[in-house]
Amino acid sequence: ETNLVLVEPASGAVHHLNPVAAGVWDLLEAPACLEEIIGLFRETFPDQDPDRIGADLERLFRELLTARVILPDHRQVGA
């Protein structure tokens, strides 16, 4: 198991990612929105509660945004 840590650019705070969060981070190598990631996880883990997947990933995205290690996507749909 590989450990992944992220460092907040402004504060230098260190965040240790669990395996699921590290998987999301890997998926974000190419820009992706929250809904795309939720859909992928629901397909990959069909035996898991889809509402729980959505809630967990929404919380993770909020934490990553708050830590400023990801940026919001301001592209407009259909643009």
Side-chain angles (χ1 to χ4, degrees), residues 31-36 61 65 70-77:
C33 69
L34 174 59
E35 292 77 18
E36 292 169 327
F61 267 61
L65 282 165
I70 64 171
L71 300 172
D73 184 359
H74 295 293
R75 295 177 295 173
Q76 293 185 12
V77 176

Side-chain angles (χ1 to χ4, degrees), residues 35-78:
E35 292 77 18
E36 292 169 327
I37 302 288
I38 289 173
L40 180 60
F41 270 69
R42 285 177 175 166
E43 288 176 17
T44 303
F45 303 104
D47 295 337
Q48 300 300 314
D49 177 12
D51 292 334
R52 171 93 189 258
I53 289 172
D56 288 351
L57 291 173
E58 286 173 7
R59 185 177 63 252
L60 173 62
F61 267 61
R62 275 194 311 275
E63 291 172 2
L64 294 174
L65 282 165
T66 299
R68 305 189 98 171
V69 294
I70 64 171
L71 300 172
D73 184 359
H74 295 293
R75 295 177 295 173
Q76 293 185 12
V77 176

Side-chain angles (χ1 to χ4, degrees), residues 11-25:
S11 69
V14 176
H15 302 274
H16 296 267
L17 300 185
N18 67 29
V20 172
V24 170
W25 181 257

